[in-house]
Amino acid sequence: MSQQGYVAAPPYSQAQPGMGGYQGGFGTGPAQPLYGHYGGPPQPFTTPPTGMMKSPVSSAAGVPPPAVSPQYNPNVQQNGAHPQRYPAPPAASGAYGQPPQSHYNSMAPAAPPPAQQLTNQMSAMNLGNYAPGPMQSPPPPTSSVAQQHFQPCPPPAMGQPQMAPGLQSPHMSPPMSPLQSPPASMPMTGPPMASMGRPFTGPPPPGPGGFQQSGPAAAGPPGYPQQAGQFGGPMAGPQPGMPGAFPGAPGGLAGPPQKKLDPDSIPSTTQVIGDDQVKRGGQVFSTNTRGQVPPLVTTDFTVQDQGNASPRFMRCTTYSLPCTADLAKQCQVPLATIIKPFASLPKNETPLYVVNHGETGPIRCNRCKAYMCPYMQFIDGGRRYQCGFCNCVNEVPAFYFQHLNHMGQRVDFYERPELSLGSYEFVATMEYCKNNKPSNPPAYIFMIDVSYNNIKSGLVKLICDELKTLLENLPREEGTESSAIKVGFVTYNKVLHFYNVKSALAQPQMMVVSDTAEMFVPLLDGFLVNYQESRAVIANLLDQIPDMFADTNESETVFAPVIQAGVEAFKAAECSGKLFIFHSSMPTAEAPGKLKNRDDKKLVNTDKEKTLFQPQKGVYEQLSKECVAQGCCVDLFLFPSQYLDLATMADVPSHTGGSIYKYNNFQVETDGEHFLRDLRKDVQKNIGFDAIMRVRTSTGFRATDFFGAIYMNNTTDIEMAAVDCDKAVTVELKHDDTLSEETGALMQCALLYTTIGGQRRLRIHNLSLNCSSQLSELYKSCETDSLINFFAKSAYRAILNQPLKNVREILVNQTAHMLACYRKNCASPSAASQLILPDAMKVFPVYMNSLMKTAPLVGSTELSTDDRAHFRLSVLAMGVEESQLLLYPRLIPLHNMDVSVEAVPAPVRCSEERLADSGMFLLENGHSMFLWLGQASPPDLIQDIFNLPSLAHLQAHMCALPELDSPLSRKVRSIINDLLEKRPKSMKLQMVRQRDKPEMLFRQLLVEDKGLHGGASYMDFLCYVHREIRQLLT
């Protein structure tokens, strides 16, 4: 019985002659099928043409021969000999030669395909339908996810010819709704990105986990022999005039005018989100079933923990793992879990229970050290238990013994969180503490750059004024009067000033350290104090700082010594904590960690572009190590007016669980409130310190790779100087044996940390997944939002070691592979011109295309290097909610909403076509927020919102709406305030008038349209991927 997914057939899926700048287009087929027949018998391996070295496998870890450009070196975060991530590009092959660099626009329009061909294709279209496959056996119990019932047939074994479609029962589609056929003369407008300009014939795509060639089997999965297609190596440079070509391509498509395919006919993200909200919104999601797919991150739902961790803490790329490594390799869907151990829970959900076993501490398996959890099976009348992770049988300690009921369950099952819940905490004993001594409460040190720029801009005064009220709200343990967190203050330029704010003093005292090479803290007593006790002295100090430096002319600053000072202070106080550093320029003063300008736009689009993202080695690397060892987290607030080498300066925050905030060309009037909102959220958020996390799995698979604001000293321990409610760690999983469908797959994430009250605790999250030997089950249980989180993080790590072009190419190929495998093994047979997508992944191409247009992955000289590095580092620590919103922003129409109802209007698709000249739209992606106003906005709308007679009177730099008493003004302000409250970071509201210059920034976020800095529209990308899929299937 076959499964039918989403069907969509783009109009330009036939390969057409004479396509933009390639000899004879993709018309002439390659010498032999590119990947071998998809699932057909393997073809013999042909020797690559000279000049196209395939790297021979020279070692288990797949290290390439020196001839090839430097490979990605799997850093500390790999287990043992590990497959190579992102294989290096083969050198350009002679077989392809230089593509003619003719200008696309000057070429003769492409010859139209035979009209007949197009009409057939259009009639075969089945857009927007989920064609139910024929039923051959009673459907399995309905799962809450798949919209179709089906009993999948087993995929044909690799290396056997595919089952002839005639063997399956005929494909019955619902009545078709052929779309308007485009005129037969529609030219193929070139591939959506120059860098994808050829059928991909490099090494076959990697194993399931993102981007990698496995060691000895570098030839790829069976049935894809490695071979040089006729276009051996990478394309020689982008075609300059190709529409949608990556580097700064012209927007408009050349060629005769064409009718467009209706954009409403391709899968819509807003509709998928809306449907899930209707279907599962407002409901209770009980976690008592193994491998159930949770509602989308965008859906409002309540979680009831009944034995598996809430999806707020753990989400997976699929909730049904393939049983074997071969199946995983065949489908190419990465297996990963995204863990947000400190996620905030809504008010109506129960906070985690804390279990205290006193002196004995938590009960653990003797062999694998997993903690007591719902997956432990009690036997022998309750005297012993069998570990669900390693199957070892352990004795139950006498104090923990309890009888079993007739079901074999302990009588106290419901009274013990660790037996009945997916998430809970244990109080840790002394052996879990540093040096076996009880830990101290953490401290916060505020370190303010008082150089000329920050004094003149008013920033220093702004920070000092805010701290007076903010310190009243330091986070505190539930049920305590005041916060146990100690505070300290440092100001600096070329030298550091420490302040003694001991409560006994009438006036604060300043001590200066000018020897920045040998950093030390000049005072122990009085530097870190309890805020409530020293409140008067601190208020005094905060009043004095802006005046003390009012006449400064010092513009040079140091940076590494500032972090060093913080670490030394925590060492002396024997505590962990966080440094809040407010800094504005590149550290150029003579001191360790001094930086020089290495920003070079000439490197963009070359193999050396990766160096722009790499931090400078040495001082900062060592500092990260020291910070993690001490539990010192660094949060960096940057206020640059020019390049400051963010890649290097943010290296310590990005390895210590810290955050990086950036305010370009900061002005108090327009950016002050935006910065203060960030600072307040940052100081008050829920956080744990000096953390170490380990992910244990049941037999058959294991965690192999980790992405996040983390530090790895070995292959298993994820160290974080701090972990807060917004930080997520993405963990890749790999098979090391066969998994069984009966027992499923179990994971336990254990996080040891210090609370803000100074207590050492273990936070445990458990999750159980299904295992299946049917690929259709895996595709049915996929989660697009988690998949794209994984792809974003693995691509962003890869760009440190590979040309962007390769990384983009691998992303597209893996997309095509995942979808081709579904089409071949899970979908009902249908015309090749149909694009069939799995239901759970039908909007995956939108997100993938959006990811490829993000600043780090577009080679454009117009984008600032620091902004690209900042974007890259922000994403590496993101959870699924944030990455989803970032890659598909919300565009909310505000002009025609009903002001009398609570609800926010439904978002529309992120495309210019959805805007209306007389409309007003709010666009937000968690980092930026725009209020877009159409040129024809009615005057009464403008009057209601801005109290201005017309749009022409609107000031460009306005960054907040005036508080007016009209119902519309109240409603719009409440929508904006709710969003600012809800998102982890503050957003600066920017007003944008249609066709004004600032509209460019707004348009970059319309992710379904062509990218401003290169990159395809969603429609073109879908067509391109469809063509790649067909290539793989022929």
Side-chain angles (χ1 to χ4, degrees), residues 285-287 303-310 352 420-424:
F285 176 73
S286 295
T287 68
V303 181
Q304 189 170 23
D305 185 342
Q306 294 190 342
N308 282 297
S310 157
L352 299 195
S420 54
L421 298 179
S423 301
Y424 42 86

Side-chain angles (χ1 to χ4, degrees), residues 442-561:
Y444 284 0
I445 305 179
F446 297 89
M447 313 182 102
I448 307 170
D449 158 3
V450 289
S451 60
Y452 179 81
N453 284 347
N454 286 358
I455 294 290
K456 284 291 164 280
S457 71
L459 175 66
V460 173
K461 182 162 172 39
L462 186 72
I463 294 169
C464 291
D465 288 347
E466 177 63 29
L467 285 179
K468 290 178 208 163
T469 51
L470 188 52
L471 295 175
E472 299 284 348
N473 303 324
L474 289 172
R476 56 171 197 250
E477 290 272 22
E478 288 285 309
T480 54
E481 283 290 294
S482 62
S483 173
I485 296 174
K486 297 232 164 99
V487 294
F489 303 87
V490 172
T491 55
Y492 65 94
N493 38 44
K494 260 182 11 188
V495 298
L496 278 74
H497 323 108
F498 293 81
Y499 297 94
N500 183 345
V501 283
K502 208 159 127 185
S503 54
L505 297 173
Q507 282 288 327
Q509 295 169 346
M510 179 207 265
M511 299 178 121
V512 180
V513 177
S514 50
D515 180 3
T516 49
E518 293 292 321
M519 204 58 228
F520 67 98
V521 178
L523 71 161
L524 289 181
D525 189 29
F527 177 58
L528 293 177
V529 298
N530 177 310
Y531 173 71
Q532 295 302 338
E533 291 169 14
S534 298
R535 202 174 179 159
V537 193
I538 291 172
N540 205 325
L541 170 68
L542 294 170
D543 283 337
Q544 290 180 30
I545 289 176
D547 301 339
M548 245 186 303
F549 299 99
D551 304 328
T552 185
N553 289 320
E554 188 53 75
S555 57
E556 282 196 313
T557 54
V558 296
F559 183 63

Side-chain angles (χ1 to χ4, degrees), residues 118-371:
L118 257 177
T119 357
N120 298 349
Q121 203 178 318
M122 298 313 282
S123 61
M125 268 201 198
N126 197 355
L127 266 162
N129 286 319
Y130 294 83
M135 288 288 184
Q136 293 171 338
S137 61
T142 331
S143 112
S144 57
V145 234
Q147 300 189 356
Q148 307 82 5
H149 309 300
F150 48 82
Q151 193 62 24
C153 57
M158 268 299 196
Q160 294 173 357
Q162 192 175 353
M163 196 161 146
L167 299 177
Q168 299 182 347
S169 53
H171 167 60
M172 310 182 309
S173 356
M176 310 218 180
S177 46
L179 294 159
Q180 272 185 312
S181 343
S185 64
M186 176 186 293
M188 173 66 196
T189 50
M193 301 184 180
S195 60
M196 307 178 197
R198 56 196 178 84
F200 181 86
T201 55
F211 307 72
Q212 89 207 17
Q213 286 260 108
S214 21
Y224 303 89
Q226 218 184 31
Q227 45 202 289
Q230 96 193 36
F231 317 120
M235 221 173 66
Q239 309 291 299
M242 212 169 66
F246 234 101
L253 298 183
Q258 33 180 292
K259 271 200 206 146
K260 277 213 184 119
L261 180 62
D262 173 19
D264 280 333
S265 59
I266 54 179
S268 149
T269 306
T270 47
Q271 188 176 350
V272 168
I273 290 172
D275 291 351
D276 196 70
Q277 177 63 41
V278 167
K279 197 163 128 200
R280 306 183 75 177
Q283 300 186 3
V284 172
F285 176 73
S286 295
T287 68
N288 52 1
T289 315
R290 183 176 84 194
Q292 60 177 334
V293 182
L296 297 181
V297 284
T298 42
T299 299
D300 263 331
F301 61 101
T302 304
V303 181
Q304 189 170 23
D305 185 342
Q306 294 190 342
N308 282 297
S310 157
R312 304 192 203 287
F313 296 121
M314 293 178 84
R315 281 189 175 261
C316 298
T317 54
T318 176
Y319 291 83
S320 181
L321 300 182
C323 282
T324 64
D326 285 349
L327 273 178
K329 198 171 196 176
Q330 185 185 339
C331 72
Q332 303 265 323
V333 174
L335 308 177
T337 174
I338 295 98
I339 306 174
K340 208 178 192 185
F342 257 77
S344 307
L345 297 177
K347 301 242 184 312
N348 59 350
E349 290 179 21
T350 324
L352 299 195
Y353 287 99
V354 180
V355 178
N356 190 346
H357 286 324
E359 295 295 286
T360 50
I363 294 171
R364 306 176 68 176
C365 167
N366 290 327
R367 185 194 291 159
C368 69
K369 299 290 182 239
Y371 293 86

Side-chain angles (χ1 to χ4, degrees), residues 6 8 127-128 130 262-276 296 837 839 841-847 884 888 907-910 914 1008 1018 1022:
Y6 188 91
L127 266 162
Y130 294 83
D262 173 19
D264 280 333
S265 59
I266 54 179
S268 149
T269 306
T270 47
Q271 188 176 350
V272 168
I273 290 172
D275 291 351
D276 196 70
L296 297 181
L837 304 167
D839 195 38
M841 287 171 73
K842 63 175 187 263
V843 289
F844 182 74
V846 191
Y847 286 105
Q884 184 278 328
Y888 200 91
V908 295
R909 295 177 73 153
C910 262
R914 308 287 153 173
E1008 292 196 17
Y1018 170 31
L1022 206 55

Side-chain angles (χ1 to χ4, degrees), residues 107 418 460 493 696 998:
M107 286 174 39
E418 73 274 23
V460 173
N493 38 44
R696 292 183 173 82

